[in-house]
Amino acid sequence: MTPTQLRAFATVVQCGSVKAAAEVLQVSEAAVSLHVAQLRKELGDPLFVRASTGLAFTPGGLRLASRAVEILGLQDRTVREVGQAGQGRRMLRVAATALFAEHAAPGLLGLFANRAKDLDLELSVHDSGALPALLASRAVDVGIGPHPVVLSEGFVVTTFLKYEIVAVTGPGHPLVGQDPHPSQLRSLTWLLGPSAASAMGVIPDLLRRIGVGEAHQRIFQSDAQALEEMRRTDGVGLALGFAVASDLAAGRLVALGGQGLRGGGRWSAQTLPAHAQLPAAAELLRFITTPRATQAMLKGTGAAPGRFRPSVHVTLWS
């Protein structure tokens, strides 16, 4: 596995196609396909398959994409941080899980960034299990994800928003209006966002509870892409309740009935102890529980995010 192969695969992930990746890298499509083929052979995993809306990743492909983009982004991040320090600007580094990053972070961080002209925000996407180590090593200043099952000693944890995950499908699916048997659910191909590849969280827990094997999971770059595939194909998937509320109300999607097809969670922000926190991290903790922050997370800021220009190491959402 070489950096060139990782860069080729990471660019395919970011661009959504081999052709677009070849244009970005300024190489031939055959060269990009060769690098991807070598990774597939070495890892014994197809990594992704083509769908009508783009690429659908295997769980292994999504994990490789996350690691590849993170590794390749370290050099750029170092150069950027050195430059910003020389310009007298503050940097707040936020790590979040994929579900929060796609649906709630843009509104929250966009609104927060506009409160301070000297503050730059960097958002990176990680599995929830990685957040404590990232904080302890000071690689990030704030970690946001599902409320931790085990609290890390010394960390400050602020719980700020409840959310619900529901199983949804298109209105024409044969299981609509039924109480499906678990065996029926396990035989379906599930169209999922990147959160499905995490080890922990409400979505992975629901998939395990239903018994959906990895062979029946198609993981897309974002929840938005998975939902679009559902609308086009009457596929089945798991979605964040407030993110699909308008689709459910308009009948574009339907919530499946049956036991074990809903789950709830809470998002929490973790930071180092108060004496070790950056002032900007403490500001974010105070702001994140306010009504304005809640509205921004649920509905967006209602305006362009201004100075919030995140550098996302794992860019699997649009």
Side-chain angles (χ1 to χ4, degrees):
M1 187 185 304
T2 68
T4 302
Q5 293 168 353
L6 290 176
R7 189 171 297 279
F9 181 65
T11 308
V12 170
V13 171
Q14 291 172 329
C15 296
S17 73
V18 171
K19 180 178 180 181
E23 292 176 356
V24 169
L25 296 172
Q26 297 184 330
V27 299
S28 67
E29 291 183 43
V32 175
S33 296
L34 177 62
H35 291 316
V36 173
Q38 289 169 335
L39 287 172
R40 283 171 162 165
K41 181 178 179 181
E42 180 177 349
L43 299 173
D45 191 304
L47 303 179
F48 62 82
V49 296
R50 300 186 186 280
S52 62
T53 57
L55 303 180
F57 292 87
T58 66
L62 194 63
R63 291 173 191 135
L64 175 64
S66 300
R67 186 64 65 193
V69 181
E70 185 175 4
I71 291 170
L72 295 169
L74 287 177
Q75 182 177 3
D76 291 340
R77 172 181 172 178
T78 302
V79 172
R80 185 174 57 257
E81 287 181 346
V82 171
Q84 287 168 331
Q87 297 167 11
R89 298 189 62 80
R90 295 186 296 159
M91 166 67 76
L92 181 65
R93 297 164 298 180
V94 179
T97 53
L99 194 69
F100 183 86
E102 179 173 353
H103 296 288
L108 171 70
L109 299 183
L111 188 61
F112 182 72
N114 283 332
R115 293 157 51 92
K117 293 182 179 180
D118 66 335
L119 180 64
D120 290 315
L121 280 167
E122 179 182 272
L123 174 66
S124 57
V125 182
H126 301 270
D127 189 86
S128 60
L131 298 182
L134 290 168
L135 289 166
S137 66
R138 297 181 182 267
V140 301
D141 307 304
V142 180
I144 301 179
H147 189 76
V149 177
V150 178
L151 299 180
S152 300
E153 186 175 352
F155 284 5
V156 175
V157 178
T158 301
T159 302
F160 57 89
L161 189 65
K162 293 182 178 180
Y163 62 94
E164 184 182 37
I165 300 297
V166 295
V168 296
T169 187
H173 197 280
L175 291 183
V176 170
Q178 298 188 28
D179 185 0
H181 190 272
S183 61
Q184 291 177 286
L185 298 171
R186 288 192 290 268
S187 67
L188 300 173
T189 297
W190 289 70
L191 311 176
L192 305 160
S195 299
S198 300
M200 298 179 288
V202 178
I203 289 178
D205 287 347
L206 282 172
L207 292 171
R208 284 190 287 267
R209 190 186 309 165
I210 299 167
V212 181
E214 290 192 351
H216 288 271
Q217 299 178 29
R218 291 291 176 266
I219 302 175
F220 292 81
Q221 293 170 297
S222 66
D223 283 349
Q225 190 180 3
L227 289 170
E228 181 60 28
E229 186 75 5
M230 273 182 240
R231 297 185 194 101
R232 293 187 182 190
T233 65
D234 275 340
V236 174
L238 296 171
L240 185 62
F242 69 77
V244 295
S246 60
D247 280 321
L248 294 174
R252 292 185 293 269
L253 292 173
V254 178
L256 283 176
Q259 231 176 356
L261 295 179
R262 287 177 179 261
R266 297 176 294 162
W267 278 317
S268 295
Q270 301 180 59
T271 61
L272 293 171
H275 69 271
Q277 288 176 13
L278 291 179
E283 292 169 21
L284 180 59
L285 285 191
R286 289 191 293 270
F287 178 70
I288 207 168
T289 58
T290 64
R292 287 191 68 202
T294 300
Q295 182 180 27
M297 286 184 278
L298 295 177
K299 299 181 179 179
T301 59
R307 287 181 303 280
F308 173 49
R309 293 184 291 273
S311 171
V312 182
H313 295 162
V314 186
T315 313
L316 296 176
W317 48 277
S318 58

